[in-house]
Amino acid sequence: MYYSFIMLKPDALKRHLVEQIMQYFKKEGIEIERLGFKKVDEQLIDVHYAHVIEKYGDVFRSRLMDYFNGQDTIPMILKSGKESLVADIRRIVGATDPSKADHGTIRGDLGDDSFDRCASENRSCYNLIHASDSFENAKEETAVWFGKEVSEQYFGK
Ligand SMILES: Nc1ncnc2c1ncn2[C@@H]1O[C@H](COP(=O)(O)OP(=O)(O)OP(=O)(O)O)[C@@H](O)[C@H]1O
């Protein structure tokens, strides 16, 4: 069995899209292994998004804080029998900018935001879901959201 990490962002919960989003994975034989419920704080966002905060700087960080800090999210470990799980999940999720995401993807079908609008409104783009982009990052992100012990249980030491 293969495992990866996703996190449903605050807009997915506020818009009551959780069940609809999960149908996209179920249809492709990807199941939920573990599900959490997390009210996010600054520290968690600083760790989870450390790479982009470092790359894009303070303004990007404060936009992420406006999007996430104090909000509810649902982190999950997903599973399937296919080695292509990480890539399969990324394909099902679609492009980061929902206005550019293909039809049939979660962000393309259910996303209602665009990078252009975010830029003009000076904020982070609401794109419903985060998905790990490698097994290595899935391991790290699972440790951040569920703890090291849980991460090692699925991804090894
Ligand atoms: N140009 C942008 N304008 C507005 N928001 C952005 C922009 N780039 C990224 N973001 C926001 O920051 C998040 C993290 O950016 P990143 O480049 O890691 O994209 P991603 O890997 O597709 O997204 P995630 O890590 O959330 O899955 C994006 O999901 C989005 O919410």
Side-chain angles (χ1 to χ4, degrees), residues 9 49 51-52 60 64 67 90 96 107 115 118 123-125 127 129-131:
K9 298 184 178 185
Y49 281 120
H51 59 293
V52 270
F60 193 86
L64 282 175
Y67 186 5
R90 297 279 293 183
T96 308
R107 285 167 171 166
F115 274 11
C118 302
R123 60 174 175 77
S124 229
C125 190
N127 57 7
I129 177 168
H130 161 79

Side-chain angles (χ1 to χ4, degrees), residues 88-98 100-102 105-108 127 129:
D88 291 341
I89 291 173
R90 297 279 293 183
R91 171 178 47 79
I92 293 165
V93 165
T96 308
D97 178 348
K100 302 263 161 62
D102 290 338
T105 66
I106 292 168
R107 285 167 171 166
N127 57 7
I129 177 168

Side-chain angles (χ1 to χ4, degrees), residues 28 72 112:
E28 298 220 21
D72 295 324
D112 64 354

